[in-house]
């Protein structure tokens, strides 16, 4: 049922606040981005009330994480997006590994990224991450590699 009472208190890691969050691991985990200078990412087991792992999300000046998305099918994959920031994460037990977005030969540009989501790619028989951009485009990623850019699908930001 529903409750108006706190379900979890996230103490000790994200002291300055939470700027973004999403559920992961088939809903058993809560991934949070801190409002601190390191954009700390903390993964909580909200049912048990404890932290699983944490990592600095972005430490370069001028960069900021604005959103986070998890693959709810339980693959342990996350994407963080923001101001000149797109990074792909893998949860391995109590560790988090990250890779920055790799544009390769695709016509993508580093800019402000928003609204990461995961979807099934029927033609490639795999999961892909989809991000919106400041210039109104949609980027499709396989792991950390940019696979396709859909330019100008929106007149403004794709949130």
């Amino acid at each position: 049922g529903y409750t108006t009472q706190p379900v979890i208190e996230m103490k000790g890691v994200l002291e300055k606040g939470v700027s973004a969050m999403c559920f992961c691991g088939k809903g058993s985990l809560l991934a949070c981005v801190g409002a601190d200078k390191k954009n700390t990412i903390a993964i909580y087991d909200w049912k048990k009330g404890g932290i699983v792992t944490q990592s600095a999300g972005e430490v370069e000046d001028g960069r900021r994480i604005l959103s986070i998305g998890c693959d709810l099918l339980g693959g342990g994959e996350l994407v963080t997006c923001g101001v000149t920031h797109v990074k792909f994460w893998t949860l391995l037990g109590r560790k988090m590994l990250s890779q920055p977005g790799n544009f390769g030969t695709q016509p993508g540009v580093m800019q402000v990224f928003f609204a990461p989501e995961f979807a099934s790619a029927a033609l490639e028989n795999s999961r892909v991450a989809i991000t919106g951009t400041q210039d109104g485009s949609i980027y499709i990623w396989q792991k950390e590699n940019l696979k396709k850019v859909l330019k100008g699908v929106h007149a403004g930001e794709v949130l």
Side-chain angles (χ1 to χ4, degrees):
Y2 297 100
T3 180
T4 58
Q5 300 302 312
V7 176
I8 181 175
E9 288 187 42
M10 300 178 287
K11 294 182 179 181
V13 177
L14 305 177
E15 298 280 329
K16 298 213 179 246
V18 175
S19 61
M21 68 174 71
C22 68
F23 285 99
C24 298
K26 298 184 180 177
S28 62
L29 302 176
L30 184 63
C32 303
V33 178
D36 59 334
K37 288 183 180 182
K38 293 181 181 180
N39 295 262
T40 300
I41 298 171
I43 309 296
Y44 290 91
D45 183 327
W46 67 272
K47 290 181 179 180
K48 293 179 182 175
I51 189 162
V52 175
T53 189
Q54 69 183 45
S55 178
E58 181 61 74
V59 295
E60 289 188 39
D61 284 340
R63 293 187 173 195
R64 182 100 193 116
I65 297 176
L66 301 174
S67 54
I68 186 168
C70 296
D71 189 344
L72 284 175
L73 293 183
E77 306 294 321
L78 296 93
V79 180
T80 52
C81 293
V83 179
T84 62
H85 173 96
V86 61
K87 196 178 278 190
F88 298 82
W89 301 80
T90 303
L91 291 175
L92 297 171
R94 298 184 69 78
K95 293 184 180 182
M96 292 177 65
L97 304 176
S98 69
Q99 291 290 326
N102 176 12
F103 292 88
T105 60
Q106 295 295 321
V109 295
M110 184 58 83
Q111 58 183 302
V112 179
F113 290 90
F114 303 102
E117 293 292 338
F118 285 86
S120 292
L123 297 177
E124 298 182 29
N125 198 23
S126 65
R127 300 285 286 166
V128 294
I130 301 168
T131 57
T133 65
Q134 181 179 17
D135 72 1
S137 299
I138 293 177
Y139 285 27
I140 301 172
W141 308 83
Q142 192 165 35
K143 296 286 185 184
E144 71 274 3
N145 299 307
L146 182 60
K147 291 298 179 184
K148 189 168 192 171
V149 175
L150 304 173
K151 287 193 166 275
V153 297
H154 199 273
E157 295 95 354
V158 178
L159 302 173

